Amino acid sequence: MPDKELAERVARLERQVADLTERSADAAAARVLAAGADHDVAQVRAELRAHTGTLNALRQDQVDLREEMRDGFATVNRSLRQIIGLLGDARPEAETSD
């Protein structure tokens, strides 16, 4: 009987060792996957920061352009008012007596 008990104990231990080896391999694979996922997340975050920076720069360009256009239109309006004023002064007398 002792030989049979020993054989059962050895078989049980071998199954436990095989199970632990499999679990260890699974844990190692999970660590590799987690490291890869962490690297991927870091890349996505870096790209997102780059895109955000690009959008912020584009927004600032649009704000600057809007200000330049307002200044330019204001200058054109002043010039047109001045031209209209000069033309009004240059109208013939017959037109101004209406």
Side-chain angles (χ1 to χ4, degrees), residues 16 30 43 58 80 87:
Q16 287 176 347
Q43 282 183 327
L58 179 60
L80 287 175
L87 289 174

Side-chain angles (χ1 to χ4, degrees), residues 21-41:
T21 302
E22 185 178 322
R23 287 183 186 180
S24 176
D26 289 347
R31 282 192 296 275
V32 169
L33 288 174
D38 185 54
H39 179 72
D40 291 346
V41 168

Side-chain angles (χ1 to χ4, degrees), residues 2 8-9 18 23 26 35 38 46 53 55 58 61 68-69 73 75 80 83 93-95:
E8 287 175 6
R9 288 178 62 196
R23 287 183 186 180
D26 289 347
D38 185 54
L55 289 172
L58 179 60
D61 284 349
E68 286 180 36
M69 288 180 64
F73 284 132
T75 301
L80 287 175
I83 291 169
E93 289 296 322
E95 290 183 26

Side-chain angles (χ1 to χ4, degrees), residues 38-54:
D38 185 54
H39 179 72
D40 291 346
V41 168
Q43 282 183 327
V44 168
R45 284 184 179 168
E47 287 182 29
L48 182 58
R49 278 192 299 274
H51 289 303
T52 300
T54 300

